[in-house]
Amino acid sequence: MKRRLLNKGEDNDPMSVVGNLFDVAMVFAVALMVALVTRYDMTEILSKEDFTMVKNPGKENMEIITKEGNKINRYTPSENQTSKDGQRGKKVGIAYELENGEIIYVPE
């Protein structure tokens, strides 16, 4: 009689542990994504404002990332690259921003 009372409260479902592990993994994944976004100052992606970001400026693996509304575009400039709409792009100069906010463009 005592054994029945003790066993009634126990959960004998082995899959309940898997469900708890999945919950822990999801919380960890979301926390990791939030940490990476804040660490690399990419909070603009989560906002509703439009922005343009240049990754690795002036190097061969440079990328231009733009956000317009809910659409995020990635552009990797190169001399022989043609996009879907037939447009081509290449580096034509360098722009410098001075301390007073003025931008100077120097063609190559």
Side-chain angles (χ1 to χ4, degrees), residues 34-93:
V34 169
L36 287 174
V37 165
T38 55
R39 168 70 173 99
Y40 293 109
D41 296 326
M42 295 174 50
T43 53
E44 299 92 14
I45 291 176
L46 302 176
S47 71
K48 293 187 178 188
E49 298 176 9
D50 295 346
F51 74 92
T52 301
M53 180 172 68
V54 179
K55 197 171 142 185
N56 303 324
K59 297 181 181 172
E60 292 213 9
N61 60 347
M62 180 176 80
E63 289 181 323
I64 301 170
I65 302 170
T66 59
K67 179 183 174 197
E68 299 168 353
N70 290 332
K71 186 176 181 185
I72 298 176
N73 299 318
R74 237 175 85 184
Y75 175 71
T76 307
S78 69
E79 293 181 19
N80 299 325
Q81 182 180 10
T82 304
S83 64
K84 290 185 259 182
D85 54 359
Q87 296 177 343
R88 291 185 178 196
K90 64 179 181 176
K91 183 176 176 182
V92 293

Side-chain angles (χ1 to χ4, degrees), residues 11 13-24:
D11 186 38
D13 185 17
M15 292 304 289
S16 65
V17 175
V18 175
N20 290 336
L21 287 177
F22 179 76
D23 292 342
V24 170

